């Protein structure tokens, strides 16, 4: 029987892992295409766009992070990274490049299915109305122009951002309705940038809220999740 659910591309150079993940996803109603590497994925995507890509970062040959970068530059397809490395750097860089989630290998397949469904729900639900020209994301009273690293209002007036402010806003744009911890946001704000440390992430968020919230004292678009971090609500609470 042919599955008619969301189409998932599974990219892994290990045949046994690739087949196991593919079989499990098919059992749960997904249509699946198996790819043994970046070249195979590109050939498949030249013919058809999947609904989501499950990508092993640690394949030989082409760097998995380069694949994430190319995917996000060419399309808006959601990506879940699988990584066997213990390093947080690859995970952080992958998320900054636009990957939607990650799991450590070997992963619990039930959790992978849950993550896939969660990412698919977010990607179909979060489709904010954006102007056709350029890449922009609505933040409260402003639009974030990804290409120019600026905020602009409805009248087209632009407002410059510091490096860390832009990186934080882009992280929220890439992960709407998802709680991001202060530790993750500090990494996103670029540890090499001394400005990110001068008065901590909470002050950066306060500064951003003054720029985008209709009422910065009662924020609706970047909300505090007590004890956990912050979350971007595209439509406000």
């Amino acid at each position: 029987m042919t599955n008619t659910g969301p189409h998932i591309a599974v990219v892994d150079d290990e045949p046994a892992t690739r087949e196991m993940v593919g079989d499990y996803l098919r059992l749960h109603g997904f249509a699946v295409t198996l790819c043994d590497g970046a070249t195979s994925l590109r050939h498949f995507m030249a013919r058809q766009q999947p609904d989501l890509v499950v990508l092993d970062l640690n394949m030989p040959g082409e760097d998995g992070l380069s694949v994430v970068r190319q995917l996000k530059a060419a399309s808006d397809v959601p990506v879940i990274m699988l990584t066997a490395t213990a390093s947080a750097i690859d995970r952080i860089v992958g998320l900054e490049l636009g990957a939607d989630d990650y799991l450590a290998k070997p992963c619990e397949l039930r959790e992978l299915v849950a993550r896939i469904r969660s990412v698919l729900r977010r990607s179909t639900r979060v489709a904010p109305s954006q102007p056709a020209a350029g890449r922009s994301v609505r933040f409260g009273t402003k639009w974030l122009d990804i290409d120019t690293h600026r905020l602009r209002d409805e009248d087209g007036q632009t407002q410059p951002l510091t490096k860390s402010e832009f990186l934080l806003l882009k992280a929220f744009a890439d992960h709407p309705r998802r709680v991001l911890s202060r530790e993750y946001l500090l990494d996103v704000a670029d540890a090499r940038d001394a400005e990110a440390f001068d008065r901590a992430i909470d002050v950066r968020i306060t500064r951003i809220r003054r720029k985008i919230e209709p009422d910065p004292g009662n924020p609706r678009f970047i909300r505090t999740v007590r004890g956990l971090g912050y979350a971007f609500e595209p439509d406000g609470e």
Side-chain angles (χ1 to χ4, degrees):
M1 186 175 81
T2 301
N3 288 335
T4 58
H7 196 144
I8 312 299
V10 177
V11 188
D12 197 307
D13 65 300
E14 299 176 359
T17 301
R18 192 168 64 239
E19 294 289 344
M20 178 178 65
V21 171
D23 288 346
Y24 194 83
L25 294 181
R26 291 186 186 100
L27 283 174
H28 286 78
F30 296 100
V32 177
T33 294
L34 302 180
C35 303
D36 61 7
T39 300
S40 176
L41 175 64
R42 278 193 287 270
H43 289 163
F44 164 63
M45 291 188 65
R47 305 187 306 272
Q48 181 177 350
Q49 174 95 345
D51 295 298
L52 184 143
V53 175
V54 175
L55 174 68
D56 178 18
L57 286 188
N58 305 113
M59 297 180 294
E62 189 166 355
D63 176 26
L65 293 175
S66 297
V67 179
V68 174
R69 184 184 296 109
Q70 292 165 12
L71 283 173
K72 289 300 184 177
S75 72
D76 59 357
V77 62
V79 178
I80 294 179
M81 305 178 295
L82 299 181
T83 175
T85 179
S87 170
I89 298 301
D90 282 353
R91 299 195 298 268
I92 292 168
V93 172
L95 291 169
E96 288 181 353
L97 290 173
D100 298 85
D101 207 344
Y102 72 87
L103 276 173
K105 291 177 68 177
C107 65
E108 167 57 56
L109 293 180
R110 288 176 298 178
E111 182 178 4
L112 176 60
V113 168
R115 297 287 187 101
I116 288 172
R117 287 174 174 159
S118 176
V119 169
L120 288 173
R121 283 195 300 270
R122 293 202 305 267
S123 66
T124 55
R125 181 179 65 217
V126 182
S129 58
Q130 299 179 4
R135 295 181 296 157
S136 301
V137 179
R138 183 69 178 260
F139 276 90
T141 62
K142 302 289 195 302
W143 290 90
L144 175 67
D145 284 334
I146 303 297
D147 295 330
T148 65
H149 294 199
R150 289 175 177 265
L151 284 175
R152 61 178 173 81
D153 59 24
E154 297 289 353
D155 297 325
Q157 297 296 314
T158 62
Q159 184 174 5
L161 295 165
T162 67
K163 181 178 181 180
S164 62
E165 286 171 348
F166 170 75
L167 291 172
L168 289 170
L169 283 170
K170 186 174 185 303
F172 285 123
D174 289 340
H175 305 288
R177 298 187 176 92
R178 177 174 175 180
V179 178
L180 303 180
S181 71
R182 286 174 174 82
E183 291 79 9
Y184 170 70
L185 291 172
L186 186 60
D187 286 324
V188 164
D190 192 346
R192 294 163 295 178
D193 180 5
E195 187 246 355
F197 284 99
D198 65 0
R199 292 179 62 200
I201 285 298
D202 292 345
V203 175
R204 311 255 85 63
I205 297 297
T206 298
R207 183 189 296 173
I208 288 172
R209 282 170 169 165
R210 292 192 187 117
K211 296 181 178 182
I212 68 160
E213 295 279 355
D215 181 2
N218 296 285
R220 294 187 295 118
F221 295 92
I222 296 181
R223 63 182 180 87
T224 301
V225 182
R226 190 173 300 277
L228 295 176
Y230 296 95
F232 168 44
E233 298 290 343
D235 303 318
E237 290 183 325

